[in-house]
Structure formats: C-alpha cells, structure tokens
Amino acid sequence: CSLFRNTTFKENMVKLDGLGDNTKSDFCSEENYDTFPCNMDVGSIVSLSLGGAALGLCFAVYLVYTLRAYPRGNEKMIKLADSIAAGSRSFLKTEYTYLCGFVGCVAAILLLLFTLSSTRVDRTDGIRVASCFIAGAVLSALAGWIGMIVATDANCRTTEAADKKGLNTALQVAFSGGAVMGFCVVGLGLLGVSLFLILMSLGRDSDDITSSDAMIYPAMAVKYQWAAESLAGFGFGASAIALFARVTGGVYTKAADVGADLVGKVEQGIPEDDPRNPAVIADNVGDNVGDVAGMGADLFESFVGSIIATITLAEGDVALMALPFWICGVGVFASFVGFWFVSTKDGASQKDLLHALHKAIYMASLIIIIGSALLCWGLFPHRHEDGWRIFGCVMIGLLCGILVGELTEYFTSYSYKPVKSITDAGLTGPATVIIQGLGVGMISCVGPVFVLVATIMSCNALAGSYGVAIAAVGMLSTLGVTLATDAYGPVADNAGGIAEMAELEERVRDTTDALDALGNTTAATGKGFAIGSAILTSISLLSAFEKQADIEGLINMGDPVVFSGMLFGAMLPYLFAALTMLSVRKAAAAIIEEVRHQFHTIPGLMEGTGEPDSDKCVAICTKSSIEEMVLPGTYAVLAPITIGFLVGPRCLAGMLGGSIASGAMLAIMMSTAGGAWDNAKKYIEIEKACGGKGTETHKACVVGDTVGDPFKDTSGPALNILIKLMSVISLTIAPLIAGNGDWDDFYYGFVPIVIGLVISYYCYVMYWSQDIEYKDYNNVAKDDDAAAAPAEGVELTKLDDANQI
C-alpha cells in the first residue's frame, strides 16, 4: 500500500496503470498481504454486504407478518383485492414464462461466445458469465414478484385502516407494503452480487493468471479483476428483466388507465375507479405490475450495476473493491432506522405528508454520512487523503440524489407553482393544458442537469472515474427506504380504488385521495431519482467499458466514426420512446373499444344493476403488453452488439455517450411532465380548485393527465433502463472486442442485424399491420332494449393501423 502514500488519487491510478513489466508492484504486494486492508480475502470484502442483505431480507419478512395483523375489511373489499391480486399474478406468470425462453437463449449464446473466444485465457469464462446472467435475471424477477404480491395484499388493509384508524395508520400500512419492495431489492441485490463475487473468484488457474497480460497487477488483483468481468453478466441479466418488466408493465397499466379514464370519466361522466367501469380492475392491476414490479426491477439493476461498475474500476485494489459493498451494507441498516421515522397526524396537508416521508430519507442519509466517514477512515490507513477524497464523492452522490428528488418534487407537487400553472391553463381548454405541461417538463430538465454535471465533474476531480462510480453507490445506498417511498404509491392508489368500488363513505375516499396524491409526487420523485442514478451508473459503466475494451484515450468526438456512433445513440431513445408510446395507444384503443362495447351491451351496467366483465379487459391488457414488449426489447439488446462487432469499440463508446445524453433529457422531460399533468388533475379533485370535479377545467386536465400517463409510467421510466442496459451489454461484450480497430470483425455484426430484421418483420406481420375495428356508438339508443343487444345498422369503420400511425 506504500505506493499510494503522499500522492493524489489520480496519481495513484496512473502509477497503478503505468506498471509496464510483468512483475508484481508494491500495490498490496506479497510482503504487504499480512497488513490491513491488503490481507482481506474475498469473504472479508463482502462481509458487511452479506450482513446487510440478511438484515434487509429478515426485515422484509417481519414487515409481511406485521401487515397481516391489519384487517382486510369487509367481504366486498376482500373480493376486490383478491381480483387485483389474481390479475397481477396472472400477468407476471405470463410475462415470466416468455422471459424464461429469452433468458435461456441469451445464456446459451454467452456460454458459447465466452467459451470459444480466442481472446479468453480462462476457458471457464463461458459458464461463469452465463451463470451470472441467469442469476441476475432470476433475482431481479424474484424481487419484483415478492414486492407485487405484498403490495396487492396491503391495498385493502390500507383502505380498512383509512376507514377505521385514520390517515396516520393508513400511511404506515401503505408505507410498510412499499418497504417490503425496497428491502427485498437491496437484500436480494447485495446477496446476489456478494455471493457471485465469491464464486467468480474461485477456481481460477494460477497458470492462467501468471501467463496473462494482466500480470502487471498482483495475482490476487488479477483474480478479482476477472471476477468483476464475469459479474457484468449479472448486471446484464438484471437489466434485461428490468427493461421487459418496465415496458410490459407500463403498456399494461397505461392501456387500462387511458381506456378507463377516456370512456368512464370523459364519455360517461362517472367517477374514477367507479365499479361500473369494466377497466377499473385492470387499471389497479397495472399499478402493481408497472409501478411496483417494474420500478423494483429498474432500481435493482441500478443498485447492482453501480456496485459492478465500481469494483471493475477498482482494478483489483482490495480496499476500493470492499468500499461499495461495505457502504451498501451500512445503507441497509440506515434504511432500517429511517423506516421508523415515518408518521404524521390526522388531517395532515400534502406538505406534512411529504415531510413524514422526508424524515425517513434524511435520517437514513445522516447515518450513511457517518458510516461512510468511518469506513473511508478505516479502509485507507496508509492513504488517508485518498480515503477522504472518496468520502467526498460518496457525500456528493448522496446530496445529488436528494437534490434531484427535491427538484422533481417541486415540478410535480401541486403545492408549488408549476403544477398550479397547468391547472390554470385548463381554464382555456385541454390544448393549453398539454402545451403548459410540455413546457414544464422541458424546463424541469435544467435543474437536475446542473446537479448531475456538478456531481460528475466534482467526483472526477476528486477520484477520477472511480469517484463517479462510488458517487452512484452513495446515491443508491439508502435505496431500501427511498424505493419504499416510491412503491408506497401504487398501494395507496389501489386503496383509493377499493374504497370507491366498495362504495365506502366519502371521508374514506378523501383519506385515500390524500395518500394517492402523495403517492403521485413520491412516484415522480422516485422516477427522477431513478433517472439520476441511471445516468451516474451508465457513465460509470461506460468508463468501465472503455477500460475493458482498451480504448481509453482513443475517443475523439471529432472523429467521424465516434461522432457517427454518437448520432446513432442519440436517436435510439427517441425510437424506443416512440415504440412504447405507440404501443400504449394501440393497446388503449382495444380497451376503449371493449369498455364502450360493454357499456352499450350489458343491461343495467350504467344503473349499477349489471356486472362488468373485468376479466376481458385484464386479458386484453395482458396480451397487448406481452406482444408490444418484443420490438423495443429487441432493438435495445441488439443495438450495442451490432455496433460493437460491426464497427468497433470506439463507435460503440460514441453510441453509448449519445444515448446517455439524449435518453437522460427525454426521460426527465417525459417523467416530470406526466407527473405534473397528473397532479394538476388531483389539485382540482382534492383541493376543489377551479370549481372542483365535473367542470370544464377538470375535463381539460383529465385529458392532460391521459396524455401524461404513458409519458410518466411507460416511455419515460423505461428510458433510464435503456441506457443502463446498453451500457452493461457493452461492458459484457468488451472482452470479446477489446483491442479491435474499426471494422476489424465487421462480418460478425451482420448476425444481429439479420436477427433484428427477422424479428421486426414478424412483429409487423403479427401485430403492427393488424386492422383495428371500431364501432360508432354515437347514434345507438341507450334504453334497455337497445342495451340488451347491439343496434342494427351500426356503422363499422376500419382503420389501417399503419396508416393511422
């Protein structure tokens, strides 16, 4: 460790990188192995993270048993909650069935590529990378499944608490339901990364190590470097599941939401979550599969991705590798303590409710600050300056997460001017609501970008690329409680839906509406937090990719090859967002047609004597969302593979840079605008602004909210997964294209191109070219006789979907 004394962090890394011969350096060399921290084995590196994983998972189990002590309500409430839970389970089972085939195929390809590649020294790399990929995918899916199951169980308990106990108890029940998701994500994430770092460090052949080019580092460092390379497959698996979960869940929930709102609230004039609306159950199911399972998988990937990027950039330095694991372990404890600070008073305002959740986040952040300071002091006994530089990066990352969340809250909470301005725009109609919302979304990019730029530049000045990566770890260290504040939202939303459908007293709906409005703000804040963490994680993965692909210092933005890659990458988020938006429109059209059909063909439905066929809407949403995930997912996975093999690693680095910059702006704009539109409507409904419900201003804001639904819950959130997925795929294939010049192995690039073309043609023929049949119900009589059967002479209009698009 003496190599690092009396030098700056960057000089240390230069010294480490500049060891040109094949001899062990003084960096944790053999004579220093018996001194701390150089004498830590891999078990010691992950010790605190394994302890944190155990705490997180045990606390999640405790919360589940605590929730079961709360009553579920009356028979009607239980029936509604069971219907929502059954629909959610059915959807995830269908989704995971398809994803099993995808995971198996990709794992087989990774096994062959890394086993047969001539660039690999260790022939076990194939099975290592493939097993990491499968583990990442399984744990990501498992976290989403557990969170969704608990959330669908907590919804009716929250409604009952709102009815019998009041606002504070309802808040704590809903927050506990969301906390299960948060602690499962950090627990399973830390458990998976820690165990697989241990496994990937085992069985390395010492002859392979001593004969490799990486022997400029000590043998132990080389072993850890290779383990970090294999762990990129873990991030790939987690990212793939996150992308598909976000896209399918987003299409599902917004197709049902748009269909329910446009036909129920706008056309029929019935309240939100009215039991007569056939799409209400599907809408509530969508809240869980999109905002609980989808968001959980998203932040699971960010969490493990930041750790993988950090240990890759550590280059085998035992202390630098241990730090992210130890910080995350302390972070679970900090989140555990913060959880107990969530409480409020009955009759609390939105600011009071926000403060109740902020107390948990601020307390967890304070514990992380103290814990990180102690860890940096203890892990760097011979290079204290470096330890404090890294601590500064952790602090900056933590502050960045808080500031991005606060800025997002400002633009999405109706307590502040931006959302109120959208409500005021409703006085002149829906067009001005949409214009104002787009303007608010665009200007909301300014603050987070300033914060992120300052974070990146400050951390780079303090500790280089490693500093940026550890800042991402710092931002995500309190994920247990941060994700709980986000996952709480769908529980509160479902609770309000159950209160309306069970026809409980108005005071119960008022309580759940207050929690729902808070949930909309925390969901928007959570999306802003997810985007910020995705940007820092993606930049760290990009730095790790450049290192693994041997192209550091070779990226010139004026180079035509690099610039072409940047332009191509900047286009990809727009293509991805377009596909997901069109998917929502197409799926919503099917729901709208079905809901209209039921309103006009089921006797007594509007009068409340007929029963809607909710299962039909659930089936339509499930089928549509599964079909629509194929094309966006295919392009996201194949784009980096195509560019990497067809052109080369320099063009791929440019593509990643372009996609990160473009995707970040688009994601912030869409997520914030959608959240602002939503709360502009809530401002009227809860605070009785502009005359309250039923006014023309309210109807205009409902239209704005409908436009914003796919913005904030489908396309916007999926974009941060897109940039992370492409970054981690690039890191995974980096060893296969390392050292390649431009167009060296271009013929391999034609394989993913052909695969993409085949899948695109299949999707067009099977899904996108299909006609949608609409019925004109404008002149259909609404008396009982006409409602019993479709009226004769109903005009049928066929619209070619491709032409309509």
Side-chain angles (χ1 to χ4, degrees):
C1 296
S2 60
L3 177 67
F4 293 89
R5 292 176 186 167
N6 302 319
T7 56
T8 67
F9 192 93
K10 283 190 174 182
E11 289 171 346
N12 296 337
M13 301 310 291
V14 169
K15 285 186 179 183
L16 194 59
D17 290 338
L19 301 173
D21 56 13
N22 287 339
T23 61
K24 294 184 177 69
S25 71
D26 290 335
F27 158 65
C28 280
S29 56
E30 290 180 352
E31 58 268 23
N32 291 328
Y33 279 168
D34 58 347
T35 62
F36 181 84
C38 301
N39 62 345
M40 287 197 299
D41 58 13
V42 68
S44 300
I45 290 174
V46 301
S47 55
L48 278 184
S49 62
L50 287 175
L55 173 62
L57 294 175
C58 289
F59 187 55
V61 172
Y62 166 80
L63 289 175
V64 170
Y65 281 98
T66 301
L67 281 170
R68 289 181 178 176
Y70 291 95
R72 300 185 69 195
N74 59 43
E75 184 178 348
K76 190 171 185 179
M77 292 166 60
I78 294 173
K79 181 181 178 181
L80 291 168
D82 288 344
S83 298
I84 295 170
S88 301
R89 286 195 301 269
S90 175
F91 170 77
L92 282 189
K93 286 178 181 178
T94 304
E95 179 187 15
Y96 288 172
T97 299
Y98 284 94
L99 289 180
C100 282
F102 166 78
V103 170
C105 291
V106 174
I109 293 171
L110 291 174
L111 175 63
L112 292 174
L113 284 176
F114 281 85
T115 301
L116 302 178
S117 173
S118 59
T119 63
R120 309 308 297 155
V121 177
D122 190 337
R123 291 301 170 187
T124 64
D125 279 346
I127 189 65
R128 292 175 186 271
V129 174
S131 60
C132 284
F133 173 80
I134 294 173
V138 169
L139 289 177
S140 178
L142 180 61
W145 175 268
I146 294 173
M148 184 273 297
I149 291 296
V150 175
T152 54
D153 181 60
N155 50 20
C156 60
R157 302 180 194 275
T158 302
T159 308
E160 179 68 6
D163 184 15
K164 299 295 194 297
K165 300 290 186 180
L167 182 62
N168 182 48
T169 304
L171 172 65
Q172 292 182 346
V173 173
F175 188 74
S176 296
V180 174
M181 177 82 261
F183 284 95
C184 279
V185 164
V186 295
L188 292 174
L190 283 178
L191 180 66
V193 175
S194 302
L195 288 181
F196 272 83
L197 180 67
I198 296 173
L199 293 175
M200 294 304 105
S201 301
L202 300 177
R204 297 290 186 182
D205 193 327
S206 58
D207 292 337
D208 289 339
I209 294 176
T210 55
S211 64
S212 71
D213 294 335
M215 264 311 293
I216 58 176
Y217 305 115
M220 182 181 293
V222 174
K223 183 169 68 173
Y224 291 154
Q225 280 181 283
W226 286 0
E229 285 184 15
S230 299
L231 277 178
F234 189 97
F236 182 9
S239 294
I241 295 299
L243 181 77
F244 289 118
R246 240 331 177 182
V247 171
T248 53
V251 172
Y252 187 112
T253 183
K254 291 306 110 180
D257 199 357
V258 170
D261 283 353
L262 287 182
V263 182
K265 295 168 69 173
V266 177
E267 294 183 6
Q268 300 296 332
I270 61 178
E272 185 173 359
D273 295 320
D274 192 287
R276 294 169 291 179
N277 195 326
V280 164
I281 294 294
D283 184 12
N284 283 275
V285 170
D287 290 334
N288 293 288
V289 299
D291 292 336
V292 178
M295 176 59 85
D298 177 1
L299 287 171
F300 178 92
E301 194 283 325
S302 287
F303 186 63
V304 300
S306 64
I307 297 174
I308 293 169
T310 306
I311 63 176
T312 301
L313 292 169
E315 297 185 316
D317 184 325
V318 177
L320 296 182
M321 289 190 70
L323 186 60
F325 288 103
W326 289 18
I327 288 176
C328 290
V330 174
V332 178
F333 173 75
S335 299
F336 168 76
V337 174
F339 171 87
W340 301 103
F341 283 79
V342 175
S343 63
T344 190
K345 59 185 178 181
D346 289 336
S349 65
Q350 280 296 300
K351 285 189 176 181
D352 293 332
L353 290 171
L354 283 170
H355 178 66
L357 299 186
H358 286 170
K359 286 188 296 184
I361 296 174
Y362 293 153
M363 178 53 63
S365 300
L366 178 61
I367 294 173
I368 277 292
I369 291 171
I370 298 172
S372 298
L374 294 174
L375 292 177
C376 290
W377 175 78
L379 274 174
F380 302 94
H382 301 292
R383 37 180 173 152
H384 289 303
E385 182 180 349
D386 292 336
W388 293 121
R389 286 171 178 266
I390 295 172
F391 172 69
C393 294
V394 175
M395 285 279 292
I396 292 171
L398 198 60
L399 180 63
C400 175
I402 293 174
L403 288 178
V404 169
E406 294 286 349
L407 287 168
T408 308
E409 178 186 314
Y410 173 75
F411 282 99
T412 55
S413 172
Y414 66 63
S415 299
Y416 303 104
K417 183 63 177 176
V419 170
K420 291 180 179 179
S421 71
I422 297 175
T423 303
D424 292 340
L427 294 170
T428 52
T432 48
V433 168
I434 293 171
I435 293 171
Q436 184 73 13
L438 286 173
V440 168
M442 290 176 184
I443 203 169
S444 71
C445 297
V446 177
V449 168
F450 270 107
V451 172
L452 288 166
V453 167
T455 298
I456 294 167
M457 296 185 71
S458 301
C459 293
N460 181 69
L462 286 172
S465 299
Y466 181 87
V468 179
I470 202 68
V473 173
M475 179 187 290
L476 290 161
S477 58
T478 59
L479 182 61
V481 70
T482 306
L483 180 55
T485 63
D486 188 11
Y488 136 89
V491 178
D493 194 357
N494 273 199
I498 291 173
E500 183 71 35
M501 289 184 284
E503 300 176 331
L504 300 182
E505 297 177 26
E506 186 66 23
R507 61 176 180 82
V508 180
R509 186 66 211 236
D510 289 341
T511 300
T512 57
D513 278 348
L515 294 177
D516 186 19
L518 175 66
N520 287 333
T521 302
T522 58
T525 303
K527 291 178 177 70
F529 177 83
I531 294 167
S533 63
I535 294 169
L536 291 185
T537 301
S538 298
I539 292 173
S540 303
L541 291 169
L542 174 57
S543 299
F545 164 74
E546 291 181 0
K547 190 176 293 292
Q548 294 284 6
D550 295 333
I551 56 172
E552 286 186 295
L554 301 178
I555 306 301
N556 177 7
M557 297 305 296
D559 188 303
V561 171
V562 178
F563 189 76
S564 297
M566 184 179 67
L567 283 178
F568 182 78
M571 172 273 298
L572 288 175
Y574 286 88
L575 172 64
F576 190 85
L579 290 173
T580 51
M581 290 286 286
L582 293 174
S583 296
V584 170
R585 203 284 315 161
K586 189 166 181 285
I591 291 294
I592 289 170
E593 182 62 19
E594 176 60 28
V595 175
R596 285 173 176 169
H597 175 73
Q598 291 195 31
F599 272 124
H600 288 85
T601 58
I602 296 179
L605 182 57
M606 278 299 294
E607 291 74 19
T609 57
E611 286 290 329
D613 186 1
S614 299
D615 292 341
K616 188 70 177 293
C617 292
V618 170
I620 291 173
C621 285
T622 300
K623 180 176 181 294
S624 298
S625 58
I626 295 297
E627 291 173 352
E628 301 299 334
M629 78 174 180
V630 177
L631 214 52
T634 298
Y635 294 157
V637 172
L638 294 182
I641 298 174
T642 301
I643 298 298
F645 284 102
L646 182 67
V647 186
R650 294 196 313 127
C651 186
L652 179 53
M655 188 202 85
L656 294 177
S659 65
I660 292 171
S662 165
M665 299 304 100
L666 194 58
I668 294 172
M669 187 278 288
M670 297 184 82
S671 296
T672 306
W677 273 318
D678 193 352
N679 271 345
K681 177 198 68 175
K682 292 290 184 185
Y683 183 46
I684 295 175
E685 295 174 348
I686 296 174
E687 303 295 337
K688 309 298 186 291
C690 299
K693 293 182 181 180
T695 62
E696 292 302 315
T697 303
H698 179 236
K699 292 179 180 179
C701 288
V702 168
V703 173
D705 174 42
T706 305
V707 174
D709 279 337
F711 268 54
K712 68 182 177 65
D713 289 325
T714 307
S715 300
L719 288 172
N720 57 56
I721 306 176
L722 172 72
I723 61 177
K724 288 183 297 182
L725 175 61
M726 294 195 297
S727 299
V728 79
I729 290 175
S730 301
L731 180 60
T732 303
I733 66 171
L736 302 178
I737 59 176
N740 281 9
D742 299 334
W743 308 102
D744 278 358
D745 295 326
F746 70 91
Y747 36 85
Y748 291 124
F750 288 110
V751 176
I753 289 176
V754 171
I755 294 174
L757 290 174
V758 170
I759 294 176
S760 299
Y761 178 76
Y762 173 81
C763 289
Y764 176 78
V765 171
M766 297 300 296
Y767 313 134
W768 288 85
S769 64
Q770 299 297 315
D771 291 346
I772 298 176
E773 185 176 280
Y774 296 92
K775 294 180 181 179
D776 182 6
Y777 290 105
N778 291 333
N779 299 316
V780 177
K782 294 186 178 180
D783 54 42
D784 291 340
D785 293 336
E792 295 182 4
V794 173
E795 180 183 355
L796 298 180
T797 305
K798 281 193 173 183
L799 299 177
D800 187 311
D801 199 42
N803 291 337
Q804 190 178 41
I805 290 168

